[in-house]
Amino acid sequence: MAAQSITTITFPVTGMTCAGCASSVESMLGAQNGVEQAAVNFATQTVKVEFHPEIVAPEVLKRSLQSVGYDLLIDTANGKEQQEQIRETHYRALKRNILWAGALTLPVVIIGMFYMDMPYANYIMLLLTAPVLFVAGRNFFIGAWKQAKHGRANMDTLVAMSTGIAFLFSVFNTVYPDFWHRQALHPHVYYEAASVVIVFIMLGKLLEERAKSNTSSAIKKLIGLQPKTVLLITPAGEKVMPVEEVRVGDLLLVRPGEKIPVDGTVQEGHSYVDESMISGEPVAVAKQSGDPVFAGTINQKGSFQFRAEKVGSETLLGQIINLVQEAQGSKAPVQKLVDKIAGIFVPVVMLIALITLGAWLLFGGQQALTQGLLAMVTVLVIACPCALGLATPTAVMVGIGKGAENGILIKDAEALEIGYQVNAVVLDKTGTITEGKPVVTDLIWANQAAGKENPLAAILLSLEQQSEHPLATAVVAYLKEQNTGTVASNYFHSLTGQGIEGMFDGQPFYAGNLKLVDSCKTNLPDELRVAAEALSGWGKTVIYFASHLSVLAIVALQDRVKITSAQAIAELQGSGITVYMLTGDHAVTAAHIGKEAGITEIIAGALPADKAEFVKTLQSQGKIVAMVGDGINDSQALAQANLSIAMGHGSDIAMDVAKITLVSSDLLQIPKALKLSRLTVRTIRQNLFWAFIYNLIGIPLAAGILYPFNGFLLNPMIAGAAMALSSVSVVSNSLRLKYSKINI
């Protein structure tokens, strides 16, 4: 089939109650002609389907799932809202059912425990238990039946079988007690076990639903950042309108305390804007004419007008929401193994339950049938595939959500798993360790220029203003800050690889590197020569300003190391990670920056291809490499690395390649991201351990493995409570991640 005809859509799914359901949905959709792949995220209740639209339509997929008791919401525009409504309705119905089922179950338990011998006790319990099972708990039986019709089984099957068997056995003993009396046996009934199991499991589902909704709170918080209405500036005045109607080019007004609705550029006014919601940086940023503003950030005291440039899903906030939603739906590599186990879990448990009954019938003695049935029911009740299904996706959802809240955008769950293993971090210099914006640090005049600094500075400014070189921009900014004037020039010429020249009042002036000084055979005074050598030794770039006779001044520029770079690098090194700096700069400059940042492993003069090659060399030494960069020239190395991290405000290509994007340019975000990765993987491992150990210990206990030694036989009611709590405990453990500290 042609690869280009494949469409990938993520559909919300309703009706899934356990990891076995997720497996059923995947296999049902995967079996449809035209479907390439279907991957369910049980925590988000969605399925990502890759299919050929010319062969199979979403309506066909929907019908196939409806036949086994689930539903696919194919309205891509409102699917999430519909799913949310259905979930809310289901939650309220569940709550209602628990209340009245609990009210009916309480007298059943009291009679079953303390008043077994009262007249018509069994019939009263029968009347009270039947509605609990077949009205409040009818969904378990309906779900089990739909699965059985297709030869499948899920959590509903276990609940329906266990409670159904306990109920039917009790009804038989209620109606035909003489059958057991003739064999000198007491006709036990288990109405209280059946009803309590239903109530406990429904209660567990209720708690699970509440906990699961908290795991997606990060997305809800991000969506809530965008205001509903905006103030549009029109020739007729201000006009309030919905944010959805804003178009690129609209002029909008933001008042003090209001959220900024879309991305744009400030046209008039000034203020400070709190961008912590999307960047994680707590300090408000000054905004004035020409500065960019982003949707979802909060204006502080001033008010300003800005021109809309990106709207809807194109805004930075919209892209973050899309990225986080996509990432939260991704599967961690470990999840694939868990899915396989969950897929066969229910049939295996049913087999164990039958073996348990058989073993009891063979070796159980006088009470073999009743105790065997009880043990079989307990095995079916205590087994919990839900905990297995929730262990990984809930931790991934919370971890990625927490990252988004802190300005760390993680592309998928795999990035979290790799981040945990990283032991080498390669940093690009410019824009990553340094600010990426050279600034003038020194302006030193020659002795012969004494007293003429101001007019000469005006010539230098006028000369540099005509150049497009980034260093010239820094010189112009510096001189303007000094309130330097300008003079008219009647000639300008760029000297490739050397600098620039211009004519002022008929006199030629030059600005450029040492090659320019040598080629013009201009005199370089000793005091400037000494100063230039010292500045170069500090890793600074020196520009020479000269007349046709002599150098008049030198300007030193430096790309400063970011304030937090040294702390971030020390933090990485402290956690056992080797940090490397890769740069295309000269070795002297690189060594100085490396010393200031605390890096000893420095590779200077590296071309883009060299960067990728260096990453490959580290990998061949067995290192798990994270590459951090922000430019197009880093893309090759980012693609080669095990984990690619793009700094915020970098090139779009770098961010497309990157597994992790840091919204801000603060290097401290890197140890934070790796720490979050470690915490998330640790939570996944804890969840999987408890989910497996629970079933490994619980099922043999329920089967009565201790009975031959100490007479212990687990009560089905306790098994039901344990089963309900197991999945709740896994989700709760994942939610602990929300409160973990990742700040350095």
Side-chain angles (χ1 to χ4, degrees), residues 229-289:
T229 57
V230 300
L231 270 175
L232 178 72
I233 306 290
T234 67
E238 297 171 8
K239 176 187 168 190
V240 178
M241 69 176 193
V243 69
E244 295 80 12
E245 294 179 11
V246 177
R247 297 290 176 263
V248 172
D250 284 350
L251 189 62
L252 306 173
L253 174 66
V254 180
R255 288 174 174 156
E258 289 182 348
K259 291 175 183 169
I260 294 166
V262 295
D263 291 0
T265 302
V266 177
Q267 303 293 313
E268 192 180 317
H270 57 85
S271 181
Y272 281 84
V273 173
D274 179 358
E275 296 186 340
S276 61
M277 300 79 183
I278 57 172
S279 70
E281 291 185 4
V283 181
V285 182
K287 298 287 179 184
Q288 56 187 11
S289 179

Side-chain angles (χ1 to χ4, degrees), residues 126-138:
L126 167 60
L127 290 174
L128 292 173
T129 302
V132 173
L133 261 66
F134 305 118
V135 181
R138 66 185 181 283

Side-chain angles (χ1 to χ4, degrees), residues 18 23 57 64 93 129 317 320 378 388 408 414 449 469 483 617 626 664:
C18 70
S23 181
S64 71
T129 302
L317 178 64
I320 290 174
T378 312
L388 280 175
I408 301 165
E414 189 182 8
H469 196 282
N483 296 318
T617 305
S664 78

Side-chain angles (χ1 to χ4, degrees), residues 299-373:
N299 181 29
Q300 304 277 290
K301 291 182 179 173
S303 67
F304 59 86
Q305 296 177 10
F306 76 101
R307 185 82 59 190
E309 291 175 348
K310 289 182 180 175
V311 300
S313 61
E314 296 297 313
T315 63
L316 178 62
L317 178 64
Q319 290 174 10
I320 290 174
I321 291 170
N322 288 339
L323 191 64
V324 173
Q325 282 177 329
E326 188 74 17
Q328 287 190 328
S330 65
K331 283 194 179 186
V334 68
Q335 181 65 25
K336 290 171 187 166
L337 173 66
V338 176
D339 284 349
K340 282 184 184 171
I341 296 171
I344 58 167
F345 186 87
V346 172
V348 168
V349 169
M350 290 165 68
L351 183 65
I352 293 173
L354 285 174
I355 293 171
T356 301
L357 177 62
W360 274 97
L361 289 176
L362 282 175
F363 310 109
Q366 194 179 16
Q367 298 287 340
L369 180 60
T370 54
Q371 288 183 325
L373 278 173

